[in-house]
């Protein structure tokens, strides 16, 4: 998300151009074999309204073990819990929160320091991951990982290992004991490295899928998603080019129950595609989308730059 604030005017111009030039055919049914097969116009409604438009920018979404929705609000330095009715129940203070994820231990983990100030060359790596128990009425936040740059996306494996999409450092692995796996990280893609990442910069969203993590890059010539093998991160390859032939500004992404990836875009769409399968489904949502979450009914929730959390349903 926040990496695109660094040259916002240039990115904004390209974003508007991409939105105006997007072929309308992409908004209808995707080619045979695409996922999902039906990409009819969705029904979009506000599930959780923004407390303060834009200033309460919604950056990431997750659900805790009780099914309550947690929303990270980067500009407001808070992570908030909402019940099934959309009522605000808990507010937790976290500095510049990025991704919020539920761990296998039931605790919530949040990347902290998702601000472009942490990308300035020569500055210390002060980004962290913090954790708290969502079941407590007044959660106590504790820092569990230090030494990150601008940590944005986060994926957590069943064994407790973490994978961070860091907009300054690249893709970072955190061992279950909460130390940075420097050897693995050195072999993983970095933001300004050549080869597969030359197509874009600004590691942003990340999800675990099988034996690899899939990573988005905010500034990309084609909305590129990388596949990073867990055992051999040096063997990273392009997995999807979600917006080709247009430039793409892809933010976070999520793994759907059918194995497809759903990615948020700053041009106001959710793009659904499956690695290794043809076709894609481009769903027009409206405001710039920052994150996507699959809901229990098979539909989606989308976080937005306006601060609203949107329910996205197909007829």
């Amino acid at each position: 998300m926040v990496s695109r604030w660094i040259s916002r005017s240039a990115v904004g111009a390209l974003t508007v151009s991409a939105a105006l030039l997007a072929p309308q055919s992409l908004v209808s049914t995707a080619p045979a074999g695409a996922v999902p097969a039906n990409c009819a116009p969705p029904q979009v409604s506000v599930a959780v309204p923004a407390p303060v438009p834009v200033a309460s920018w919604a950056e990431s979404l997750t659900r805790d073990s009780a099914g309550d929705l947690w929303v990270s609000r980067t500009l407001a330095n808070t992570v908030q819990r909402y019940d099934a009715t959309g009522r605000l129940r808990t507010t937790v203070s976290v500095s510049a929160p990025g991704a919020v994820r539920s761990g296998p231990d039931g605790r919530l983990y949040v990347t902290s320091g998702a601000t472009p100030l942490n990308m300035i060359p020569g500055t210390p790596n002060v980004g962290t991951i913090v954790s708290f128990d969502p079941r407590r009425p007044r959660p106590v936040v504790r820092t569990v990982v230090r030494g990150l740059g601008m940590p944005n996306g986060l994926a957590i494996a069943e064994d407790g290992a973490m994978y961070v999409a860091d907009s300054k450092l690249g893709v970072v692995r955190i061992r279950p004991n909460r130390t940075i796996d420097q050897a693995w990280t050195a072999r993983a893609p970095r933001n300004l490295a050549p080869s597969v990442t030359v197509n874009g910069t600004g590691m942003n969203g990340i999800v675990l899928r099988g034996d690899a993590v899939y990573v988005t890059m905010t500034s990309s010539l084609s909305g590129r998603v990388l596949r990073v093998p867990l055992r051999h991160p040096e063997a990273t390859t392009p997995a999807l080019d979600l917006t080709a032939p247009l430039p793409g500004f892809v933010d976070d992404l999520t793994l759907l129950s059918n194995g497809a990836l759903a990615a948020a875009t700053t041009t106001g769409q959710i793009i659904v595609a499956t690695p290794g399968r043809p076709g894609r489904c481009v769903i027009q949502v409206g405001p710039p989308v920052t994150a996507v979450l699959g809901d229990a009914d098979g539909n989606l929730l989308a976080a937005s730059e306006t601060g609203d959390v949107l329910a996205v349903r197909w007829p």
Side-chain angles (χ1 to χ4, degrees):
M1 167 288 287
V2 206
S3 59
R4 66 175 175 273
W5 290 348
I6 301 172
S7 67
R8 185 73 183 202
S9 58
V11 170
L14 287 172
T15 298
V16 171
S17 299
L20 294 176
L21 295 173
Q24 291 301 309
S25 60
L26 289 180
V27 190
S28 58
T29 305
V35 178
N38 178 19
C39 189
Q43 297 175 356
V44 180
S45 60
V46 177
V48 177
V52 181
V54 182
S56 56
W57 175 307
E59 173 61 14
S60 184
L61 307 167
T62 198
R63 290 195 184 276
D64 61 23
S65 57
D68 286 341
L69 178 68
W70 288 83
V71 182
S72 67
R73 299 190 180 279
T74 306
L75 300 181
N77 297 308
T78 60
V79 181
Q80 298 182 320
R81 177 175 70 92
Y82 295 86
D83 64 18
T85 69
R87 184 177 177 181
L88 176 62
R89 292 295 188 179
T90 307
T91 296
V92 180
S93 295
V94 176
S95 177
V100 52
R101 295 289 182 262
S102 184
D105 55 0
R107 295 179 64 86
L108 289 189
Y109 293 84
V110 188
T111 57
S112 175
T115 165
L117 295 176
N118 288 339
M119 289 186 66
I120 298 174
T123 56
N125 294 329
V126 296
T128 64
I129 297 174
V130 301
S131 177
F132 58 86
D133 187 345
R135 296 162 293 190
R136 298 186 62 172
R138 296 182 179 179
V140 177
V141 178
R142 70 170 186 249
T143 300
V144 295
V145 178
R146 300 180 186 273
L148 298 172
M150 182 188 153
N152 204 330
L154 176 65
I156 307 176
E158 286 300 317
D159 65 357
M162 298 179 178
Y163 299 87
V164 181
D166 189 310
S167 297
K168 181 181 181 182
L169 303 180
V171 183
V172 180
R173 181 180 185 270
I174 310 296
R175 299 184 185 92
N177 67 1
R178 305 294 179 253
T179 60
I180 296 177
D181 187 338
Q182 299 288 359
W184 190 98
T185 301
R187 294 182 290 143
R190 294 181 175 272
N191 284 315
L192 299 179
S195 68
V196 293
T197 62
V198 75
N199 180 284
T201 60
M203 304 297 176
N204 197 313
I206 187 168
V207 295
L208 275 161
R209 182 179 186 268
D211 60 354
V213 287
Y214 289 76
V215 187
T216 64
M217 292 181 288
T218 304
S219 301
S220 169
L221 300 177
S222 59
R224 176 155 290 182
V225 179
L226 303 177
R227 180 183 184 274
V228 184
L230 298 183
R231 292 190 177 183
H232 301 285
E234 70 280 2
T236 295
T237 56
L240 295 164
D241 286 307
L242 293 174
T243 64
L246 298 173
F249 299 93
V250 180
D251 204 309
D252 205 356
L253 79 167
T254 193
L255 177 67
L256 302 182
S257 59
N258 59 7
L261 299 177
T265 75
T266 65
T267 50
Q269 298 94 25
I270 296 171
I271 304 178
V272 182
T274 302
R277 295 183 60 182
R280 58 189 170 185
C281 175
V282 180
I283 305 161
Q284 297 288 352
V285 175
V289 185
T290 55
V292 187
L293 177 67
D295 222 348
D297 57 6
N299 293 301
L300 303 174
L301 290 176
S304 73
E305 292 184 8
T306 65
D308 291 336
V309 176
L310 305 172
V312 182
R313 304 177 184 278
W314 286 271

